[in-house]
Amino acid sequence: MVSVPPRLSETLPFMTRRRIIIVDDHPLFRAALRQTLAGGDATVSVEEASDLNGLNQALETDRDCDLVLLDLNMPGVRGFSGLLLLRAQYPDIPVMIISAVEDATVVRRAFELGASGYLHKSEGPTEIRRAIETVLVGEVFVPRGTTLGSEDEQSALMKRLATLTPQQVRVLMMLSDGLMNKQIAYELSISEATVKAHVSAILQKLDVDSRTQAVIAAARIEDGQFEALFMTTGADKA
């Protein structure tokens, strides 16, 4: 006889209505995950977004969210840049990575950047619900068989990256794309002086001397599947 996984409301009986947002660019995966999480359960509200812009729109409408499920590999996102931005912009909302990447180094980096959990896309409904339940009660979910291990030479850099503000993350991403201050100012609708202030703050937080070094420092974070956290490009000093 097939065992049917319990609904989230059955395993979290004292919880009020929960709002979960799935951020993934594959509609079939989002639909399958939504069915696994909600499955007719009126106490669980599951929404979908195909990218970070869609997530931002959902949160601008209603900031009350219990969990974001985030894919690492989506259009407009390079490596951990999406996680960095979300943790900086919405520090009060837990983020669980749900990814096909199962490399232990990637998992460790995600936790160093503030993820509340990491779930492999290959997991079945029972394990998915167990992971969600774990994070919803305020605990951290680490994939089975994964040992996070001790910090390495890149851990300090990851912690420094995690101190960037949302706007500083955006500026760093644009520096990685090779944009100059004037171009960044136009894209973000801010003044060049403000861009320079952000660049100076980024250099200080990353403990580097130039914008080139800032981009290279971010790009050194090899995650085993992505080429790097950010693409390296030539960049002038601030």
Side-chain angles (χ1 to χ4, degrees):
M1 185 175 182
V2 178
S3 176
V4 178
R7 295 178 178 178
L8 288 180
S9 60
E10 296 172 346
T11 53
L12 300 170
F14 302 109
M15 297 290 182
T16 56
R17 182 178 177 85
R18 292 296 187 176
R19 183 189 183 204
I20 301 172
I21 304 178
I22 303 168
V23 188
D24 191 290
D25 63 322
H26 294 93
L28 293 180
F29 177 78
R30 293 199 309 268
L33 184 57
R34 181 172 189 163
Q35 178 63 29
T36 296
L37 298 180
D41 190 341
T43 67
V44 180
S45 171
V46 182
E47 301 173 25
E48 303 176 24
S50 60
D51 53 26
L52 291 183
N53 288 334
L55 174 63
N56 284 329
Q57 291 174 6
L59 292 178
E60 286 174 2
T61 302
D62 183 0
R63 182 69 177 267
D64 187 15
C65 178
D66 297 286
L67 179 62
V68 170
L69 299 176
L70 177 70
D71 188 11
L72 285 177
N73 191 13
M74 296 185 297
V77 174
R78 298 189 301 278
F80 294 108
S81 61
L83 176 60
L84 266 174
L85 189 59
L86 283 185
R87 294 302 300 142
Q89 191 166 3
Y90 306 106
D92 55 325
I93 300 177
V95 179
M96 173 180 280
I97 299 299
I98 182 161
S99 173
V101 180
E102 300 186 5
D103 183 81
T105 301
V106 180
V107 177
R108 182 169 70 250
R109 299 296 182 227
F111 283 110
E112 289 173 344
L113 288 173
S116 296
Y118 195 107
L119 182 64
H120 300 150
K121 284 188 173 181
S122 58
E123 296 290 359
T126 299
E127 185 67 4
I128 290 174
R129 292 186 180 185
R130 187 175 78 87
I132 301 300
E133 293 159 11
T134 300
V135 176
L136 286 179
V137 297
E139 298 179 6
V140 172
F141 180 83
V142 180
R144 291 178 300 180
T146 300
T147 301
L148 298 182
S150 58
E151 295 184 352
D152 57 22
E153 66 277 5
Q154 298 294 346
S155 298
L157 175 58
M158 298 299 285
K159 291 180 179 179
R160 290 196 294 269
L161 284 167
T163 67
L164 298 178
T165 67
Q167 198 75 316
Q168 289 166 1
V169 173
R170 297 185 187 99
V171 170
L172 180 57
M173 292 172 65
M174 291 181 179
L175 291 178
S176 300
D177 287 333
L179 272 63
M180 304 302 295
N181 288 353
K182 184 175 183 179
Q183 295 169 305
I184 295 174
Y186 175 80
E187 293 292 333
L188 297 179
S189 300
I190 57 179
S191 68
E192 287 189 58
T194 301
V195 173
K196 290 183 178 180
H198 283 312
V199 172
S200 296
I202 290 170
L203 301 186
Q204 182 176 12
K205 288 184 176 181
L206 297 187
D207 193 24
V208 295
D209 298 322
S210 71
R211 48 200 288 161
T212 299
Q213 291 176 345
V215 174
I216 292 174
R220 283 182 186 149
I221 309 233
E222 300 290 341
D223 63 13
Q225 295 292 328
F226 302 102
E227 290 184 359
L229 175 59
F230 297 105
M231 301 295 292
T232 57
T233 63
D236 298 331
K237 290 178 70 68

